[in-house]
Amino acid sequence: MFGCSFWLYYAPDLRSYREMIPENTQEALKSKTGLVDIAHVTRRRIARRLLPFLFVLYIVAFLDRMNVGAAALQMPGDLGFNDRAIGLGAGIFFLGYFLLQIPGALIAERRSARRWIAGIMVSWGVLTVLMAFIHTLHEFYIVRFVVGAAEAGFFPAVVVYLTHWFRAADRAKAVAVFYAAMPLSYVVGSPLAGLLLGLSWLGLRGWRWLFILEGIPAVLLGLVTLVYLTDWPRQANWLPSEEREWITAELDREKKAKQDVRSYSVWQALRHRDVILLTFCYFFAVAGNYGIAFWLPTILKRLSGQSDLRVTLLASLPYLAGFLTQQLNGWHSDRTRERRWHAAVPVLLSGFGLFFAISAGKHVTLSIIFFTMVGGAYYAFHPAFWAVPTEFLSESAAAASIGLINSVGNLGGFLGPYLVSRTRSFTAGLWYLLGSFFVSGILMLAVGAGRRQFASRNEKRTPSEGSESRVPG
C-alpha cells in the first residue's frame, strides 16, 4: 500500500522537467546530469530518504493518539467510567494539543525541526506508557491532557519540515504520502488493538498492555530521529552537491515569487481572511471525523454484537478506503494544480455518507458500507487542504498559520467525541457530526480569492515556468 503512494508520487515524472528549471541554473546543471535528469533524480532521492521515515513516525503518533478508542471497549468496565467520562477524556487530549501548535510550528521553522520532532516523540511515548497505570477518572483526564500537549507540535512541525524539502508542485503528493499514515494507522492499529486487548500478562488487562506496547516505539523512534533527519537541504551530506544546489535554488525561487507579490508578517498571516476560513473549515471537518473515529468501534459493537477483534477489524475498513482515495486525490490535485474543490468535495461527500449511515439504522452491513464511504471521502480532503496555506505564505508566516489551523482545528477533536457522548443516543450525536461536515465543505468553497489573484500575477511575472509553477485558485 505504501508503494502505491510512491508510484503516484513519481507518476508525473513522465513529463519533461525542462520548463521547471530556471534559466540561470540551466547551463551549470547541463554539464553534470542534464536538465531532464536533475529534477527527477533529486526529487526521488529526497522522497525516498524522508517520506517513508516520516510516514512511520505518523503511524506511531496516531496509534498513540487513538488507542483510547479501542481501550474504551474494556477500560470503562474495569475503572467504572461511563460513556460521557470516556468521551470527555478523549476530547481533553485536544485541549492540551491546542496549546503548543503555533510555538511548535515556529520552532520548527526558526530553529531545528529535527530536534523538536525527536523531543516530542520521546515525551509522548513516555506519557502514553503512563496511561497504562491510571486508576481514577482524574488521572485519566490529566494524562490525556499532557499527552495532547506533548504531541502538539508534531504535525505542524512535519508540515513545515516538508516545505523545507518539497516544491509547491510536489507538496500535496508529499503530504498525501506522509498523511497516509493516518488512515493506515487505523488499518494496522485496529486489529492490533483487538489482539492486545486479549492479553492478560503480569496481572494487567489487555487495555493496559495496549498503552505500554504502543508507547515504547515512540520513545525509540524519537532517538533515531535525531540521527536520521536533516533540517535543511544545504546540510544534507546524503545529497550530491549539484542536487543540493538544484533543490535550494528551486525553493528560494518560490519563496521570492511569493515575496514579490506580498510578504506577510506572522500577525498579518494569522489575521488573513483565508487563514481564518481554513481554520474553521478544519475545525468542523475534524469534529466530524473524530466523533466517528472514536465511537465507531463502540457503535459497531452494539450493532453487531461481535467480538472485540472482529469489531476492530470492521472499524478499520473506512481507513483502508481513506488511504486509497487520499493518494489519488493528492496526486490529481498536484497534477491539475487545483486545491479548493479537491478539498471541499471530499468533506461534503463525508456528510452525504454519514446521512446514509444514519438512515441505515440497525442494518449492520449497510452501516459498515456507508461508514466506509465517510472515511474514504474524509481522508481524501487532507492533501489538497494542507497544500493551500504554503502556496501564498512562506517561512514564519506559513509556519504560524499552519500552527493556528491545526490547533484551533483540532479542538474539533474535543467537540466531536464529546457531542456524541452528550446525546441520549449515538444517532442524535451523528446528526451533529453530519452538520459539521457540511459546514466544513461550505467554508472550504469560500477560500481562494487571494490565491486566484496571486496565480494571475505570478503567471504574468514568470510566464516561462509552465503550468507546474502556477499557484491555484
Side-chain angles (χ1 to χ4, degrees):
M1 287 187 290
F2 188 75
C4 171
S5 302
F6 261 67
W7 183 87
L8 288 174
Y9 186 92
Y10 293 125
D13 288 347
L14 298 175
R15 292 179 290 177
S16 172
Y17 289 93
R18 186 177 301 275
E19 293 180 346
M20 298 182 192
I21 301 176
E23 292 180 3
N24 61 349
T25 63
Q26 287 186 6
E27 291 302 321
L29 295 174
K30 191 180 296 183
S31 61
K32 295 180 180 180
T33 59
L35 293 176
V36 174
D37 290 341
I38 188 69
H40 175 77
V41 172
T42 306
R43 292 166 67 250
R44 178 174 298 227
R45 196 186 307 274
I46 291 171
R48 283 182 171 175
R49 169 82 181 190
L50 300 181
L51 292 180
F53 186 73
L54 294 172
F55 171 87
V56 171
L57 297 189
Y58 206 28
I59 284 276
V60 173
F62 252 82
L63 289 178
D64 288 348
R65 180 186 302 188
M66 296 305 296
N67 51 19
V68 69
L73 295 173
Q74 291 183 355
M75 187 167 60
D78 287 0
L79 301 182
F81 299 168
N82 58 28
D83 287 346
R84 186 173 297 182
I86 294 295
L88 179 59
I92 280 176
F93 171 96
F94 295 98
L95 296 181
Y97 194 80
F98 172 80
L99 297 177
L100 295 178
Q101 291 284 303
I102 295 176
L106 290 173
I107 289 170
E109 175 63 38
R110 297 177 177 178
R111 297 182 181 275
S112 171
R114 172 179 58 90
R115 292 178 182 176
W116 182 242
I117 292 169
I120 287 169
M121 295 197 65
V122 172
S123 300
W124 97 55
V126 171
L127 291 166
T128 298
V129 173
L130 288 180
M131 276 289 296
F133 301 100
I134 64 167
H135 291 89
T136 69
L137 190 59
H138 287 98
E139 290 173 351
F140 176 51
Y141 290 158
I142 290 169
V143 178
R144 283 294 292 175
F145 178 85
V146 293
V147 169
E151 194 191 321
F154 177 78
F155 181 81
V158 172
V159 173
V160 169
Y161 183 73
L162 292 175
T163 68
H164 296 170
W165 289 92
F166 294 92
R167 304 168 310 148
D170 297 326
R171 214 160 281 156
K173 293 189 296 293
V175 171
V177 174
F178 164 66
Y179 220 96
M182 182 190 277
L184 285 184
S185 68
Y186 290 98
V187 175
V188 174
S190 292
L192 176 62
L195 291 172
L196 294 178
L197 288 175
L199 297 178
S200 183
W201 296 341
L202 304 177
L204 299 178
R205 284 265 282 162
W207 68 268
R208 296 187 186 275
W209 282 110
L210 176 65
F211 289 121
I212 294 171
L213 296 178
E214 291 188 354
I216 292 173
V219 177
L220 299 178
L221 285 169
L223 299 175
V224 174
T225 297
L226 283 172
V227 179
Y228 188 79
L229 291 185
T230 308
D231 280 311
W232 298 92
R234 61 178 177 271
Q235 301 168 344
N237 294 329
W238 46 269
L239 275 179
S241 59
E242 64 270 18
E243 295 177 20
R244 286 200 303 269
E245 293 168 8
W246 180 82
I247 189 60
T248 300
E250 283 286 288
L251 295 172
D252 286 345
R253 178 177 61 81
E254 288 185 351
K255 186 188 304 181
K256 185 177 184 302
K258 296 174 194 174
Q259 293 171 345
D260 284 346
V261 175
R262 180 174 178 182
S263 180
Y264 290 90
S265 69
V266 168
W267 291 112
Q268 288 172 332
L270 295 180
R271 297 194 305 269
H272 195 285
R273 169 188 177 274
D274 284 346
V275 171
I276 294 170
L277 285 172
L278 289 167
T279 299
F280 285 102
C281 168
Y282 197 57
F283 174 88
F284 286 106
V286 169
N289 175 63
Y290 276 110
I292 295 171
F294 181 80
W295 289 111
L296 186 58
T298 303
I299 291 171
L300 295 180
K301 177 78 171 181
R302 294 181 184 178
L303 279 176
S304 68
Q306 297 291 321
S307 67
D308 290 348
L309 178 58
R310 289 186 178 181
V311 165
T312 52
L313 285 171
L314 292 173
S316 70
L317 294 177
Y319 309 108
L320 179 60
F323 164 75
L324 298 173
T325 57
Q326 183 182 75
Q327 303 311 304
L328 289 169
N329 200 47
W331 169 80
H332 195 263
S333 177
D334 269 353
R335 193 168 184 85
T336 60
R337 297 308 310 280
E338 198 285 325
R339 309 299 190 197
R340 188 166 58 113
W341 285 99
H342 279 79
V345 169
V347 80
L348 290 171
L349 288 175
S350 292
F352 284 112
L354 186 53
F355 171 80
F356 292 125
I358 295 170
S359 301
K362 295 184 178 181
H363 195 293
V364 177
T365 302
L366 286 179
S367 295
I368 292 170
I369 290 171
F370 290 127
F371 276 120
T372 300
M373 175 183 170
V374 174
Y378 173 77
Y379 286 103
F381 152 81
H382 292 273
F385 177 86
W386 284 112
V388 172
T390 58
E391 292 193 330
F392 68 103
L393 300 169
S394 61
E395 297 181 304
S396 295
S401 297
I402 291 167
L404 175 69
I405 293 166
N406 201 47
S407 63
V408 176
N410 271 283
L411 288 178
F414 170 82
L415 181 67
Y418 187 63
L419 278 178
V420 175
S421 70
R422 291 285 296 179
T423 56
R424 293 184 178 181
S425 69
F426 283 130
T427 300
L430 292 177
W431 282 109
Y432 285 116
L433 305 185
L434 183 152
S436 291
F437 283 130
F438 281 122
V439 171
S440 176
I442 292 168
L443 290 172
M444 190 66 220
L445 289 175
V447 174
R451 253 157 318 292
R452 286 195 292 273
Q453 293 174 4
F454 177 82
S456 176
R457 294 176 186 176
N458 195 41
E459 285 178 9
K460 293 177 182 178
R461 290 174 183 271
T462 57
S464 64
E465 292 174 9
S467 61
E468 281 286 349
S469 298
R470 294 199 304 273
V471 178

